[in-house]
Amino acid sequence: MAVPVVAAVLLVVVSWQVAAEGPLLGVDRWVRRTIRSAHRDFPNALLDRLGHLLSDLGSGVPAVPVLLLAGALAAWLGRRAGAGRWWLPLPVAALTAVLIPLLVVPAKSAFARPGPLGEPLAAGQWGWYPSGHTATAAVSYGVAALLLARVAGPRAVRGLTAGAVLLSLGVGAGLVWSDFHWLLDVVASWCLAVLVLWSFARWLPRPGSGGRQASGASSLR
């Protein structure tokens, strides 16, 4: 329980600071100044391209197709293994794809935070807080890993978990490095993703059960 509690508290504190323009926003400004100095003093085209590439991994494409493909693959593998409710990953993946914008877009509109470039928001434009790309990546790749973990062995579970975490961290780092988002925008989305993933992990069957053994474990708890 410690992980979701810490994530929830941090999300509340960061959101409060963003809404009140509190002193914690100084962290954002310090990180941005440091990165801009690094860009100026140590220009590196390869790192810049990598930052953009990582940022793009948080777009709806490819993140959502990967999520839906993982749901279909998990369902197919579960059916082959004789698992009960083998079809469950399909609606879970679809629900997740719909859930992400429902969580992020209203928050962006409510906070209406300008981006690092400081340009005022145009009429009807969403704000930068929280980061949509970070939330899309963390939730999509995280839920994809959870779904596949239901029908995978222990080694595959560790690999899936590590891959989802690295992708989420990479997208966030790329967004901050490329000056697309403030650091706290990214941190808030990570916290939000932790809460979503914890909820799914709590109610989905535990990973590592396969074959006929998965039949009894495949029901929602």
Side-chain angles (χ1 to χ4, degrees):
M1 288 294 295
V3 172
V5 169
V6 170
V9 170
L10 184 57
L11 179 59
V12 169
V13 170
V14 170
S15 298
W16 162 53
Q17 287 291 287
V18 169
E21 297 186 2
L24 192 58
L25 299 191
V27 174
D28 273 341
R29 293 187 287 270
W30 177 81
V31 169
R32 184 170 187 259
R33 284 196 303 269
T34 302
I35 291 176
R36 286 172 64 85
S37 296
H39 279 294
R40 183 181 62 250
D41 299 337
F42 308 101
N44 190 310
L46 180 60
L47 276 180
D48 293 343
R49 285 196 295 270
L50 178 60
H52 282 75
L53 175 62
L54 289 171
S55 300
D56 288 341
L57 292 178
S59 300
V61 179
V64 172
V66 167
L67 168 64
L68 297 177
L69 181 61
L73 179 59
W76 179 70
L77 291 174
R79 185 179 182 183
R80 284 189 60 191
R85 295 193 183 183
W86 56 266
W87 44 265
L88 187 61
L90 292 171
V92 169
L95 173 65
T96 303
V98 174
L99 181 63
I100 296 170
L102 291 180
L103 291 174
V104 174
V105 172
K108 282 178 169 290
S109 179
F111 285 96
R113 187 187 191 191
L117 299 181
E119 297 176 355
L121 300 180
Q125 185 180 16
W126 301 329
W128 266 250
Y129 180 90
S131 166
H133 277 59
T134 305
T136 299
V139 175
S140 295
Y141 299 133
V143 172
L146 284 175
L147 295 177
L148 290 173
R150 297 175 68 245
V151 291
R155 290 184 179 179
V157 170
R158 288 191 290 270
L160 289 166
T161 302
V165 170
L166 289 174
L167 280 171
S168 176
L169 293 176
V171 169
L175 290 167
V176 176
W177 176 262
S178 302
D179 211 20
F180 294 149
H181 269 287
W182 299 104
L183 175 63
L184 292 184
D185 301 346
V186 170
V187 170
S189 289
W190 281 336
C191 292
L192 182 62
V194 167
L195 296 175
V196 172
L197 294 173
W198 177 81
S199 300
F200 275 102
R202 191 181 192 291
W203 295 108
L204 284 172
R206 294 185 181 279
S209 57
R212 295 288 172 184
Q213 204 175 11
S215 264
S218 60
S219 302
L220 283 179
R221 290 184 176 86

